[in-house]
Amino acid sequence: MLLCTVCQLEMKCTKTNTELKLHADSKHGKQLEECFPGATKIAEELLAAVGKGKDADVGGGGKGSSSGPPKADRKKKDGLDDLLNSGLDAFKKKGKN
Ligand SMILES: [Zn+2]
């Protein structure tokens, strides 16, 4: 359980902190961490504990966006991906120095 620093309401900390985020946003118009400092870390720990092996439902992000393009499409794209990767590599190196 976490205490809202603004209204002292006790809220349950979950993996996704959906309730806490909603509370912070809708009740106070604040970020999660402003109302519940450390909530993000607790959520991460919960995720780490539960999410081993299976894909945990991470709230907030888009769903099912991780599946790549169909196989037939992939072959065509290979050349492009290589080009993109080398471009990214060059970019990364540039950023490091
Ligand atoms: Zn509150």
Side-chain angles (χ1 to χ4, degrees):
M1 299 293 278
L2 276 173
L3 212 61
C4 174
T5 57
V6 180
C7 68
Q8 307 298 307
L9 183 78
E10 213 176 41
M11 301 273 293
K12 197 180 174 203
C13 188
T14 65
K15 279 174 284 175
T16 53
N17 281 335
T18 314
E19 304 267 306
L20 304 190
K21 275 180 200 163
L22 202 74
H23 173 93
D25 189 49
S26 66
K27 290 259 183 183
H28 310 303
K30 287 177 183 295
Q31 294 294 304
L32 169 72
E33 280 289 313
E34 287 183 79
C35 286
F36 304 96
T40 308
K41 201 171 171 250
I42 292 170
E44 274 168 17
E45 279 165 12
L46 282 171
L47 265 179
V50 178
K52 271 172 195 163
K54 58 184 169 183
D55 238 348
D57 180 26
V58 183
K63 49 185 172 183
S65 58
S66 58
S67 53
K71 261 184 189 168
D73 218 48
R74 217 160 137 191
K75 215 169 190 183
K76 260 191 270 168
K77 270 187 162 179
D78 259 1
L80 197 76
D81 278 350
D82 277 351
L83 203 73
L84 202 79
N85 279 337
S86 59
L88 277 174
D89 252 9
F91 182 74
K92 274 182 202 160
K93 276 170 197 162
K94 237 184 187 177
K96 262 188 183 173
N97 291 329

Coordinates of all heavy atoms in Angstrom, one line a residue:
M1 N 0.8 -1.2 0.0 CA 0.0 0.0 0.0 C 0.9 1.3 0.0 O 1.9 1.3 0.6 CB -0.9 0.0 1.2 CG -1.9 -1.2 1.3 SD -3.1 -1.2 0.0 CE -4.3 0.0 0.7
L2 N 0.4 2.3 -0.7 CA 1.1 3.5 -0.7 C 0.2 4.7 -0.3 O -1.0 4.6 -0.6 CB 1.7 3.8 -2.1 CG 3.0 3.1 -2.5 CD1 3.3 3.3 -3.9 CD2 4.1 3.6 -1.6
L3 N 0.8 5.6 0.3 CA 0.0 6.8 0.7 C 0.2 7.9 -0.3 O 1.3 8.3 -0.6 CB 0.5 7.2 2.1 CG -0.6 7.8 3.1 CD1 -1.7 6.7 3.3 CD2 0.1 8.1 4.4
C4 N -0.9 8.5 -0.7 CA -0.8 9.7 -1.5 C -0.3 10.9 -0.7 O -0.9 11.2 0.3 CB -2.2 10.0 -2.1 SG -2.2 11.5 -3.1
T5 N 0.8 11.5 -1.2 CA 1.4 12.6 -0.4 C 0.5 13.8 -0.4 O 0.7 14.7 0.4 CB 2.7 12.9 -1.0 OG1 2.6 13.3 -2.3 CG2 3.7 11.8 -0.8
V6 N -0.4 13.9 -1.3 CA -1.3 15.0 -1.5 C -2.5 14.9 -0.6 O -2.8 15.8 0.2 CB -1.7 15.3 -2.9 CG1 -2.6 16.5 -3.0 CG2 -0.5 15.4 -3.8
C7 N -3.3 13.8 -0.7 CA -4.5 13.7 0.1 C -4.5 12.6 1.1 O -5.5 12.3 1.8 CB -5.7 13.5 -0.9 SG -5.7 11.9 -1.7
Q8 N -3.3 12.0 1.3 CA -3.1 10.9 2.3 C -4.0 9.7 2.1 O -4.3 9.0 3.0 CB -3.4 11.5 3.7 CG -2.6 12.8 4.0 CD -1.1 12.5 3.9 OE1 -0.6 11.6 4.6 NE2 -0.4 13.3 3.1
L9 N -4.5 9.6 0.9 CA -5.3 8.4 0.6 C -4.4 7.2 0.4 O -3.4 7.3 -0.2 CB -6.2 8.6 -0.6 CG -7.2 7.5 -0.9 CD1 -8.4 7.6 0.0 CD2 -7.6 7.6 -2.4
E10 N -4.9 6.1 1.0 CA -4.1 4.9 0.8 C -4.5 4.1 -0.4 O -5.7 3.8 -0.6 CB -4.3 4.0 2.1 CG -3.0 3.2 2.4 CD -3.2 2.4 3.7 OE1 -4.3 1.8 3.9 OE2 -2.3 2.3 4.5
M11 N -3.5 3.8 -1.3 CA -3.9 3.1 -2.5 C -3.0 1.9 -2.7 O -1.8 1.9 -2.2 CB -3.6 4.1 -3.7 CG -4.4 5.3 -3.7 SD -6.0 5.2 -4.4 CE -5.6 4.9 -6.1
K12 N -3.5 0.9 -3.3 CA -2.7 -0.3 -3.5 C -1.8 -0.2 -4.7 O -2.1 0.3 -5.8 CB -3.7 -1.5 -3.8 CG -3.0 -2.8 -3.6 CD -4.0 -3.9 -3.8 CE -3.3 -5.3 -3.8 NZ -4.0 -6.3 -4.5
C13 N -0.5 -0.5 -4.4 CA 0.5 -0.5 -5.5 C 0.5 -1.7 -6.3 O 0.5 -2.8 -5.7 CB 1.9 -0.3 -4.8 SG 3.1 0.0 -6.0
T14 N 0.4 -1.6 -7.6 CA 0.3 -2.8 -8.5 C 1.5 -2.7 -9.5 O 2.2 -1.7 -9.5 CB -1.0 -2.8 -9.2 OG1 -1.1 -1.7 -10.1 CG2 -2.2 -2.8 -8.3
K15 N 1.5 -3.7 -10.3 CA 2.6 -3.8 -11.3 C 2.5 -2.6 -12.2 O 3.6 -2.1 -12.7 CB 2.5 -5.1 -12.1 CG 3.0 -6.3 -11.4 CD 2.7 -7.5 -12.2 CE 1.2 -7.9 -12.0 NZ 0.8 -9.1 -12.8
T16 N 1.3 -2.3 -12.6 CA 1.2 -1.2 -13.6 C 0.9 0.2 -13.0 O 1.0 1.2 -13.7 CB 0.1 -1.6 -14.6 OG1 -1.1 -1.9 -13.8 CG2 0.5 -2.8 -15.4
N17 N 0.5 0.1 -11.7 CA 0.2 1.4 -11.0 C -1.0 2.1 -11.7 O -1.1 3.4 -11.6 CB 1.4 2.3 -11.0 CG 2.3 1.9 -9.9 OD1 1.9 1.3 -8.9 ND2 3.6 2.2 -10.0
T18 N -1.8 1.4 -12.4 CA -2.9 2.1 -13.1 C -3.8 2.9 -12.2 O -4.1 4.1 -12.5 CB -3.8 1.0 -13.8 OG1 -3.0 0.0 -14.4 CG2 -4.7 1.6 -14.8
E19 N -4.1 2.4 -11.1 CA -5.0 3.1 -10.2 C -4.3 4.3 -9.6 O -4.9 5.4 -9.5 CB -5.3 2.2 -9.0 CG -6.0 0.9 -9.4 CD -7.5 1.0 -9.4 OE1 -8.1 1.4 -8.4 OE2 -8.1 0.7 -10.4
L20 N -3.0 4.2 -9.3 CA -2.3 5.3 -8.7 C -2.1 6.4 -9.7 O -2.3 7.6 -9.4 CB -0.9 4.8 -8.3 CG -0.9 3.6 -7.3 CD1 0.5 3.5 -6.7 CD2 -1.8 3.8 -6.1
K21 N -1.8 6.0 -11.0 CA -1.6 7.0 -12.0 C -2.9 7.7 -12.2 O -3.0 9.0 -12.4 CB -1.2 6.3 -13.3 CG 0.2 6.0 -13.4 CD 0.5 5.4 -14.8 CE 1.9 4.7 -14.7 NZ 2.0 3.7 -15.8
L22 N -4.0 7.0 -12.3 CA -5.3 7.6 -12.5 C -5.7 8.5 -11.4 O -6.1 9.6 -11.6 CB -6.4 6.4 -12.5 CG -7.7 6.8 -13.2 CD1 -7.5 6.8 -14.7 CD2 -8.7 5.8 -12.9
H23 N -5.4 8.1 -10.2 CA -5.6 9.0 -9.0 C -4.8 10.3 -9.1 O -5.4 11.4 -8.9 CB -5.3 8.2 -7.7 CG -5.4 9.1 -6.5 ND1 -6.5 9.1 -5.7 CD2 -4.5 9.9 -5.9 CE1 -6.3 10.0 -4.7 NE2 -5.1 10.4 -4.8
A24 N -3.5 10.1 -9.3 CA -2.7 11.3 -9.4 C -3.1 12.2 -10.4 O -3.2 13.5 -10.2 CB -1.2 10.8 -9.6
D25 N -3.5 11.7 -11.6 CA -3.8 12.5 -12.7 C -5.2 13.1 -12.6 O -5.3 14.4 -12.7 CB -3.8 11.6 -14.0 CG -3.9 12.5 -15.2 OD1 -3.2 13.5 -15.3 OD2 -4.7 12.2 -16.1
S26 N -6.2 12.3 -12.2 CA -7.5 12.8 -12.2 C -7.8 13.6 -11.0 O -8.6 14.6 -11.0 CB -8.5 11.7 -12.4 OG -8.5 10.9 -11.3
K27 N -7.3 13.3 -9.9 CA -7.6 14.0 -8.6 C -6.7 15.2 -8.4 O -7.2 16.2 -7.9 CB -7.3 13.0 -7.4 CG -8.3 11.9 -7.3 CD -9.4 12.2 -6.3 CE -10.3 11.0 -6.2 NZ -11.4 11.3 -5.3
H28 N -5.4 15.1 -8.8 CA -4.5 16.2 -8.5 C -3.9 16.8 -9.7 O -3.2 17.8 -9.7 CB -3.4 15.7 -7.6 CG -4.0 15.0 -6.4 ND1 -4.9 15.5 -5.5 CD2 -3.7 13.7 -5.9 CE1 -5.1 14.6 -4.6 NE2 -4.5 13.6 -4.8
G29 N -4.1 16.1 -10.9 CA -3.4 16.6 -12.1 C -1.9 16.6 -12.0 O -1.2 17.4 -12.5
K30 N -1.5 15.5 -11.3 CA 0.0 15.4 -11.1 C 0.5 14.1 -11.7 O -0.3 13.2 -12.1 CB 0.3 15.4 -9.6 CG 0.1 16.8 -9.0 CD 0.4 16.7 -7.5 CE 0.2 18.0 -6.7 NZ 1.1 19.0 -7.1
Q31 N 1.8 14.0 -11.7 CA 2.4 12.8 -12.2 C 2.4 11.8 -11.0 O 2.3 12.1 -9.9 CB 3.9 13.0 -12.5 CG 4.1 13.9 -13.7 CD 3.6 13.3 -15.0 OE1 4.0 12.2 -15.3 NE2 2.7 13.9 -15.7
L32 N 2.5 10.5 -11.4 CA 2.5 9.4 -10.4 C 3.5 9.6 -9.3 O 3.1 9.5 -8.1 CB 2.7 8.1 -11.2 CG 3.0 6.9 -10.3 CD1 1.7 6.4 -9.6 CD2 3.6 5.8 -11.2
E33 N 4.7 9.9 -9.7 CA 5.8 10.1 -8.7 C 5.6 11.2 -7.7 O 6.1 11.3 -6.7 CB 7.1 10.2 -9.4 CG 7.7 8.8 -9.9 CD 8.1 8.0 -8.7 OE1 8.8 8.5 -7.9 OE2 7.8 6.8 -8.7
E34 N 4.8 12.2 -8.2 CA 4.5 13.3 -7.3 C 3.6 13.0 -6.1 O 3.8 13.5 -5.0 CB 3.9 14.5 -8.1 CG 4.9 15.2 -9.0 CD 4.3 16.3 -9.7 OE1 4.1 17.4 -9.1 OE2 3.9 16.2 -10.9
C35 N 2.7 12.1 -6.4 CA 1.7 11.7 -5.4 C 2.2 10.5 -4.7 O 1.9 10.3 -3.5 CB 0.4 11.4 -6.0 SG -0.5 12.9 -6.5
F36 N 2.9 9.6 -5.4 CA 3.3 8.4 -4.8 C 4.8 8.2 -5.0 O 5.2 7.4 -5.9 CB 2.5 7.2 -5.3 CG 1.1 7.3 -5.1 CD1 0.3 7.8 -6.1 CD2 0.5 7.0 -3.9 CE1 -1.1 7.9 -5.9 CE2 -0.9 7.1 -3.7 CZ -1.7 7.6 -4.7
P37 N 5.7 8.9 -4.3 CA 7.1 8.7 -4.6 C 7.5 7.3 -4.3 O 7.2 6.7 -3.3 CB 7.8 9.6 -3.5 CG 6.7 10.6 -3.1 CD 5.4 9.9 -3.3
G38 N 8.3 6.7 -5.3 CA 8.8 5.4 -5.1 C 7.8 4.3 -5.8 O 8.2 3.2 -5.8
A39 N 6.7 4.8 -6.2 CA 5.7 3.8 -6.7 C 6.2 3.2 -8.0 O 6.0 2.0 -8.2 CB 4.4 4.6 -7.1
T40 N 6.9 3.9 -8.8 CA 7.5 3.3 -10.0 C 8.5 2.2 -9.7 O 8.5 1.2 -10.3 CB 8.2 4.4 -10.8 OG1 7.3 5.5 -11.0 CG2 8.6 3.9 -12.2
K41 N 9.3 2.5 -8.7 CA 10.3 1.4 -8.3 C 9.6 0.2 -7.8 O 10.0 -0.9 -8.1 CB 11.2 2.0 -7.2 CG 12.5 1.3 -7.2 CD 13.5 2.0 -6.3 CE 14.7 1.1 -6.1 NZ 14.8 0.6 -4.7
I42 N 8.6 0.4 -7.0 CA 7.8 -0.8 -6.4 C 7.2 -1.6 -7.6 O 7.2 -2.8 -7.6 CB 6.8 -0.3 -5.4 CG1 7.4 0.3 -4.2 CG2 5.8 -1.4 -5.0 CD1 6.5 1.0 -3.3
A43 N 6.6 -0.8 -8.5 CA 6.0 -1.5 -9.7 C 7.1 -2.3 -10.4 O 6.8 -3.4 -10.9 CB 5.4 -0.5 -10.6
E44 N 8.2 -1.7 -10.6 CA 9.3 -2.5 -11.3 C 9.7 -3.7 -10.5 O 9.9 -4.8 -11.1 CB 10.5 -1.6 -11.4 CG 10.5 -0.7 -12.7 CD 11.5 0.4 -12.6 OE1 12.5 0.3 -11.9 OE2 11.4 1.4 -13.4
E45 N 9.7 -3.6 -9.2 CA 10.1 -4.8 -8.4 C 9.0 -5.8 -8.5 O 9.3 -7.0 -8.6 CB 10.3 -4.4 -7.0 CG 11.7 -3.8 -6.8 CD 11.8 -3.0 -5.4 OE1 10.8 -3.1 -4.6 OE2 12.8 -2.3 -5.2
L46 N 7.8 -5.4 -8.5 CA 6.7 -6.4 -8.6 C 6.7 -7.0 -10.0 O 6.6 -8.3 -10.1 CB 5.3 -5.6 -8.5 CG 4.9 -5.2 -7.1 CD1 3.7 -4.3 -7.1 CD2 4.6 -6.5 -6.3
L47 N 7.0 -6.3 -11.0 CA 7.1 -6.8 -12.4 C 8.2 -7.8 -12.4 O 8.1 -8.9 -13.0 CB 7.4 -5.7 -13.4 CG 6.1 -5.1 -14.0 CD1 6.5 -4.0 -15.0 CD2 5.4 -6.2 -14.8
A48 N 9.4 -7.5 -11.8 CA 10.5 -8.3 -11.9 C 10.2 -9.7 -11.2 O 10.7 -10.7 -11.6 CB 11.7 -7.6 -11.3
A49 N 9.5 -9.6 -10.1 CA 9.2 -10.8 -9.3 C 8.2 -11.6 -10.1 O 8.3 -12.9 -10.0 CB 8.6 -10.4 -8.0
V50 N 7.2 -11.0 -10.7 CA 6.1 -11.8 -11.3 C 6.4 -12.1 -12.8 O 6.1 -13.2 -13.3 CB 4.8 -11.0 -11.2 CG1 3.7 -11.8 -11.9 CG2 4.4 -10.7 -9.8
G51 N 7.1 -11.2 -13.4 CA 7.2 -11.3 -14.9 C 8.3 -12.2 -15.4 O 8.6 -12.2 -16.5
K52 N 8.9 -13.0 -14.5 CA 9.9 -13.9 -15.0 C 9.3 -15.0 -15.8 O 8.4 -15.7 -15.4 CB 10.6 -14.5 -13.7 CG 11.8 -13.6 -13.3 CD 12.4 -14.1 -12.0 CE 13.3 -13.0 -11.4 NZ 13.6 -13.3 -10.0
G53 N 9.9 -15.2 -17.0 CA 9.4 -16.2 -17.9 C 8.2 -15.8 -18.8 O 8.4 -15.7 -20.0
K54 N 7.1 -15.4 -18.2 CA 6.0 -15.1 -19.0 C 5.9 -13.5 -19.2 O 6.4 -12.8 -18.3 CB 4.7 -15.6 -18.4 CG 4.4 -15.1 -17.0 CD 3.2 -15.7 -16.5 CE 3.0 -15.4 -15.0 NZ 1.9 -16.1 -14.4
D55 N 5.3 -13.2 -20.3 CA 5.2 -11.8 -20.6 C 4.1 -11.1 -19.7 O 3.0 -11.5 -19.9 CB 4.8 -11.6 -22.1 CG 5.9 -10.8 -22.8 OD1 6.7 -10.2 -22.2 OD2 5.8 -10.8 -24.0
A56 N 4.5 -10.3 -18.8 CA 3.6 -9.6 -18.0 C 2.9 -8.5 -18.8 O 3.4 -8.0 -19.7 CB 4.2 -9.0 -16.8
D57 N 1.7 -8.3 -18.4 CA 0.9 -7.2 -19.0 C 1.3 -5.8 -18.5 O 1.0 -5.4 -17.5 CB -0.6 -7.4 -18.7 CG -1.4 -6.4 -19.4 OD1 -1.0 -5.8 -20.4 OD2 -2.5 -6.1 -18.9
V58 N 2.1 -5.2 -19.3 CA 2.7 -3.9 -19.0 C 1.7 -2.8 -19.5 O 1.5 -2.7 -20.6 CB 4.0 -3.6 -19.6 CG1 4.6 -2.3 -19.1 CG2 5.0 -4.8 -19.2
G59 N 1.1 -2.2 -18.5 CA 0.1 -1.2 -18.9 C 0.7 0.1 -19.4 O 1.8 0.3 -19.3
G60 N -0.2 0.9 -20.0 CA 0.3 2.1 -20.5 C 0.7 2.1 -22.0 O 0.3 3.0 -22.8
G61 N 1.5 1.1 -22.3 CA 2.0 1.1 -23.7 C 1.0 0.5 -24.7 O -0.1 0.1 -24.3
G62 N 1.4 0.5 -25.9 CA 0.5 -0.1 -26.9 C 0.5 -1.6 -26.8 O 1.5 -2.2 -26.3
K63 N -0.6 -2.3 -27.1 CA -0.6 -3.7 -26.9 C -0.4 -4.4 -28.2 O -0.9 -4.0 -29.3 CB -1.9 -4.1 -26.3 CG -3.1 -3.5 -27.0 CD -4.4 -3.9 -26.2 CE -5.6 -3.2 -26.8 NZ -6.8 -3.5 -26.0
G64 N 0.4 -5.5 -28.1 CA 0.6 -6.4 -29.3 C 1.4 -5.7 -30.4 O 1.4 -6.1 -31.5
S65 N 2.2 -4.7 -30.1 CA 2.9 -4.0 -31.1 C 4.3 -4.6 -31.4 O 5.0 -4.2 -32.2 CB 3.1 -2.5 -30.7 OG 3.7 -2.4 -29.5
S66 N 4.6 -5.7 -30.6 CA 5.9 -6.2 -30.7 C 6.0 -7.2 -31.8 O 7.1 -7.6 -32.2 CB 6.3 -6.9 -29.3 OG 5.4 -7.8 -29.0
S67 N 4.9 -7.8 -32.3 CA 5.0 -8.8 -33.3 C 5.4 -8.1 -34.6 O 4.9 -7.1 -35.0 CB 3.6 -9.5 -33.5 OG 2.6 -8.5 -33.7
G68 N 6.4 -8.7 -35.2 CA 7.0 -8.1 -36.5 C 6.1 -8.3 -37.7 O 5.0 -8.8 -37.6
P69 N 6.6 -7.9 -38.8 CA 5.8 -8.0 -40.0 C 5.8 -9.5 -40.5 O 6.6 -10.3 -40.0 CB 6.6 -7.2 -41.0 CG 8.0 -7.1 -40.5 CD 7.8 -7.2 -39.0
P70 N 4.8 -9.9 -41.3 CA 4.8 -11.2 -41.8 C 6.0 -11.7 -42.5 O 6.8 -10.8 -43.0 CB 3.6 -11.2 -42.8 CG 3.0 -9.9 -42.7 CD 3.8 -9.0 -41.9
K71 N 6.3 -13.0 -42.6 CA 7.5 -13.5 -43.1 C 7.8 -13.0 -44.5 O 8.9 -12.7 -44.9 CB 7.5 -15.0 -43.0 CG 8.2 -15.5 -41.8 CD 8.3 -17.0 -41.8 CE 8.9 -17.5 -40.5 NZ 8.7 -19.0 -40.3
A72 N 6.8 -13.1 -45.3 CA 7.0 -12.8 -46.7 C 7.5 -11.3 -46.9 O 8.3 -11.0 -47.7 CB 5.7 -12.9 -47.5
D73 N 7.0 -10.5 -46.0 CA 7.3 -9.1 -46.1 C 8.7 -8.9 -45.6 O 9.5 -8.0 -46.0 CB 6.3 -8.3 -45.2 CG 6.0 -7.0 -45.8 OD1 5.7 -7.0 -47.0 OD2 6.1 -6.0 -45.1
R74 N 9.1 -9.8 -44.6 CA 10.4 -9.6 -44.0 C 11.6 -9.7 -44.9 O 12.5 -9.0 -44.8 CB 10.5 -10.7 -42.9 CG 11.2 -10.1 -41.6 CD 10.8 -11.0 -40.5 NE 12.0 -11.2 -39.6 CZ 12.0 -12.1 -38.7 NH1 11.0 -12.9 -38.5 NH2 13.1 -12.3 -38.0
K75 N 11.4 -10.7 -45.8 CA 12.5 -11.0 -46.8 C 12.8 -9.7 -47.6 O 14.0 -9.4 -47.8 CB 12.2 -12.2 -47.6 CG 13.4 -13.0 -48.0 CD 13.0 -14.3 -48.6 CE 14.2 -15.2 -48.7 NZ 13.8 -16.5 -49.4
K76 N 11.8 -9.2 -48.0 CA 11.9 -8.0 -48.9 C 12.6 -6.8 -48.1 O 13.3 -6.1 -48.7 CB 10.5 -7.5 -49.4 CG 10.2 -8.0 -50.8 CD 8.9 -7.3 -51.3 CE 7.7 -8.1 -50.9 NZ 6.5 -7.4 -51.1
K77 N 12.3 -6.8 -46.9 CA 12.7 -5.7 -46.1 C 14.2 -5.8 -45.6 O 14.8 -4.8 -45.1 CB 11.9 -5.5 -44.8 CG 10.7 -4.6 -45.1 CD 9.9 -4.4 -43.8 CE 9.0 -3.2 -43.8 NZ 8.3 -3.0 -42.6
D78 N 14.7 -7.0 -45.7 CA 16.1 -7.3 -45.2 C 17.1 -6.2 -45.6 O 17.8 -5.7 -44.8 CB 16.5 -8.7 -45.6 CG 16.3 -9.6 -44.4 OD1 15.8 -9.2 -43.4 OD2 16.7 -10.8 -44.6
G79 N 17.1 -6.0 -46.9 CA 18.1 -5.0 -47.3 C 17.9 -3.6 -46.7 O 18.9 -3.0 -46.2
L80 N 16.7 -3.3 -46.5 CA 16.4 -2.0 -45.9 C 16.8 -2.0 -44.5 O 17.4 -1.0 -44.0 CB 14.9 -1.8 -46.0 CG 14.4 -0.3 -45.8 CD1 14.7 0.5 -47.1 CD2 13.0 -0.3 -45.5
D81 N 16.6 -3.1 -43.8 CA 16.9 -3.2 -42.4 C 18.4 -3.1 -42.2 O 18.9 -2.4 -41.3 CB 16.5 -4.5 -41.8 CG 15.0 -4.5 -41.4 OD1 14.4 -3.4 -41.4 OD2 14.4 -5.5 -41.2
D82 N 19.2 -3.7 -43.1 CA 20.6 -3.6 -43.0 C 21.1 -2.2 -43.2 O 21.9 -1.7 -42.4 CB 21.3 -4.4 -44.2 CG 21.4 -5.9 -43.8 OD1 21.1 -6.2 -42.6 OD2 21.7 -6.7 -44.6
L83 N 20.5 -1.5 -44.1 CA 20.8 -0.1 -44.3 C 20.5 0.7 -43.1 O 21.3 1.5 -42.6 CB 20.0 0.4 -45.5 CG 20.5 1.6 -46.2 CD1 21.7 1.1 -47.1 CD2 19.5 2.2 -47.2
L84 N 19.3 0.4 -42.5 CA 18.9 1.1 -41.4 C 19.8 0.9 -40.2 O 20.2 1.8 -39.5 CB 17.5 0.7 -41.0 CG 16.7 1.7 -40.2 CD1 16.1 2.7 -41.1 CD2 15.5 1.0 -39.5
N85 N 20.2 -0.4 -40.0 CA 21.1 -0.8 -38.9 C 22.4 -0.1 -39.0 O 22.9 0.4 -38.0 CB 21.2 -2.3 -38.9 CG 20.1 -3.0 -38.2 OD1 19.3 -2.3 -37.4 ND2 19.8 -4.2 -38.5
S86 N 23.0 -0.1 -40.2 CA 24.3 0.5 -40.4 C 24.2 2.0 -40.1 O 25.1 2.6 -39.6 CB 24.8 0.2 -41.8 OG 24.0 0.7 -42.7
G87 N 23.0 2.5 -40.5 CA 22.8 4.0 -40.3 C 22.7 4.2 -38.8 O 23.3 5.2 -38.3
L88 N 22.0 3.3 -38.1 CA 21.9 3.5 -36.7 C 23.2 3.4 -36.0 O 23.5 4.1 -35.0 CB 20.9 2.5 -36.1 CG 19.4 2.8 -36.3 CD1 18.6 1.6 -35.8 CD2 19.1 4.0 -35.4
D89 N 24.0 2.4 -36.5 CA 25.3 2.2 -35.9 C 26.2 3.4 -36.0 O 26.8 3.9 -35.0 CB 26.0 1.1 -36.7 CG 26.1 -0.2 -35.8 OD1 25.5 -0.2 -34.7 OD2 26.8 -1.1 -36.2
A90 N 26.2 4.0 -37.2 CA 26.9 5.2 -37.4 C 26.4 6.3 -36.4 O 27.2 7.0 -35.8 CB 26.8 5.7 -38.8
F91 N 25.1 6.3 -36.3 CA 24.5 7.3 -35.4 C 25.0 7.1 -34.0 O 25.3 8.1 -33.3 CB 23.0 7.2 -35.5 CG 22.3 8.3 -34.7 CD1 22.3 9.6 -35.1 CD2 21.7 7.9 -33.5 CE1 21.6 10.5 -34.4 CE2 21.0 8.8 -32.8 CZ 21.0 10.2 -33.2
K92 N 25.0 5.9 -33.5 CA 25.3 5.6 -32.2 C 26.8 6.0 -31.9 O 27.1 6.5 -30.9 CB 25.2 4.1 -31.9 CG 23.8 3.7 -31.5 CD 23.7 2.2 -31.2 CE 22.3 1.7 -31.3 NZ 22.2 0.2 -31.6
K93 N 27.6 5.6 -32.9 CA 29.1 6.0 -32.7 C 29.2 7.5 -32.6 O 30.0 8.0 -31.8 CB 29.9 5.4 -33.9 CG 30.2 4.0 -33.7 CD 30.8 3.4 -34.9 CE 30.8 1.9 -34.9 NZ 31.0 1.3 -36.2
K94 N 28.5 8.1 -33.4 CA 28.6 9.6 -33.4 C 28.2 10.1 -32.1 O 28.8 11.0 -31.5 CB 27.6 10.1 -34.5 CG 28.3 11.0 -35.5 CD 27.3 11.6 -36.5 CE 27.9 12.3 -37.6 NZ 27.0 12.8 -38.5
G95 N 27.1 9.6 -31.5 CA 26.6 10.1 -30.3 C 27.5 9.8 -29.1 O 27.5 10.6 -28.2
K96 N 28.3 8.8 -29.2 CA 29.2 8.4 -28.1 C 30.3 9.4 -28.0 O 30.8 9.7 -26.9 CB 29.7 7.0 -28.3 CG 29.0 6.0 -27.5 CD 29.7 4.7 -27.6 CE 28.9 3.6 -26.8 NZ 29.4 2.3 -27.0
N97 N 30.8 9.9 -29.1 CA 32.0 10.8 -29.0 C 31.6 12.2 -28.9 O 30.6 12.7 -29.1 CB 32.8 10.6 -30.3 CG 33.4 9.3 -30.4 OD1 33.7 8.7 -29.4 ND2 33.5 8.7 -31.6
Ligands
ZN1 ZN -4.3 11.9 -3.7

